[in-house]
Amino acid sequence: MRHRIGVMGGTFNPIHHGHLVAASEVAHRFDLQRVIFTPTGVPWHKAPLGLASAEDRYLMAVIATASDPRFEVSRVDIDREGPTYTVDTLRDLQAQFAEESPADTVDWFFITGADALADIVGWRDPDGILARAHLVGVTRPGHRLSNPGLPSDAATLVEVPALAISSTDIRERIHAGAPIDYLVPGGVALWIDKHDLYR
Ligand code: ATP
Ligand code: MG
């Protein structure tokens, strides 16, 4: 059997409706059966200040995706020591899949922000990434879609419905006592409250 699987990497600190809308839109556009969210271990591009634990970020992602049969969350990045590199994420997921379903083949799609995509030359082993997955850069309508300078068959840019939601803004809102209702799934807001995150 042939599968089409998306991988959405991120810090997910915390996961929010922007992530979920982007994953849903890309799944629709690329006819993906599954999207695997992979919360980072120690993020290599961000200072850990204000970073919730890997376990909290993983569990919030599980809560946020629980009701969608297309979505799942993988521990590959949080269980690996050290900083997360996309090439390792893809390699581990692909090895896991090959072990579970050796007879099946998969077309892999790595979903990331279009701005991050432009920096791919700075990622570890860009050629290894391109050999393992088609890249999908998501952006909001109105933002200019610039060609990230990759071979045209290596990456596709996709506009997702406007959602000016970011984890940074959510953390700042919590810190300031402003509401985060409807920016994150209800269960995520309850988890943040229950565990006193981002105060
Ligand atoms: P932070 O503000 O801490 O950087 P973030 O909201 O950008 O957090 P990340 O975990 O860094 O969230 O993002 C994971 C992936 O989701 C990235 O590829 C990012 O570009 C994408 N993304 C984040 N917010 C949105 C959004 N509102 N719409 C579409 N994609 C998004
Ligand atoms: Mg970000």
Side-chain angles (χ1 to χ4, degrees):
M1 200 181 148
R2 195 161 192 94
H3 304 258
R4 296 169 70 80
I5 303 178
V7 178
M8 178 128 181
T11 317
F12 302 120
N13 183 40
I15 192 166
H16 54 67
H17 277 129
H19 299 132
L20 298 165
V21 169
S24 170
E25 183 65 15
V26 173
H28 168 68
R29 293 277 288 272
F30 288 85
D31 207 17
L32 308 180
Q33 293 113 336
R34 299 160 62 186
V35 177
I36 305 173
F37 291 73
T38 54
T40 52
V42 181
W44 57 273
H45 59 295
K46 276 179 202 170
L49 190 75
L51 182 70
S53 72
E55 217 55 48
D56 274 319
R57 290 180 293 110
Y58 168 77
L59 288 168
M60 288 188 284
V62 170
I63 291 165
T65 56
S67 62
D68 194 316
R70 300 169 299 175
F71 293 169
E72 59 199 91
V73 188
S74 168
R75 300 184 61 95
V76 281
D77 290 339
I78 65 172
D79 286 346
R80 191 187 317 104
E81 289 278 304
T84 296
Y85 297 104
T86 297
V87 70
D88 297 333
T89 309
L90 292 169
R91 187 192 302 109
D92 289 357
L93 289 174
Q94 289 170 350
Q96 223 170 54
F97 189 94
E99 197 172 312
E100 284 161 18
S101 317
D104 294 4
T105 52
V106 186
D107 294 326
W108 293 90
F109 298 80
F110 187 80
I111 307 161
T112 187
D115 45 346
L117 199 59
D119 300 333
I120 188 168
V121 283
W123 297 4
R124 176 173 286 192
D125 192 5
D127 292 337
I129 296 171
L130 293 175
R132 289 175 181 281
H134 184 81
L135 298 173
V136 182
V138 293
T139 187
R140 281 176 281 147
H143 284 235
R144 223 168 59 78
L145 291 174
S146 59
N147 184 331
L150 296 164
S152 60
D153 58 345
T156 310
L157 297 170
V158 172
E159 280 193 352
V160 299
L163 275 176
I165 305 178
S166 73
S167 300
T168 300
D169 179 55
I170 290 165
R171 293 192 302 274
E172 286 170 1
R173 285 176 153 272
I174 293 165
H175 195 72
I180 59 164
D181 304 289
Y182 312 114
L183 299 175
V184 299
V188 171
L190 291 171
W191 187 272
I192 288 170
D193 208 40
K194 178 173 166 181
H195 296 278
D196 221 14
L197 304 180
Y198 309 119
R199 297 241 187 270

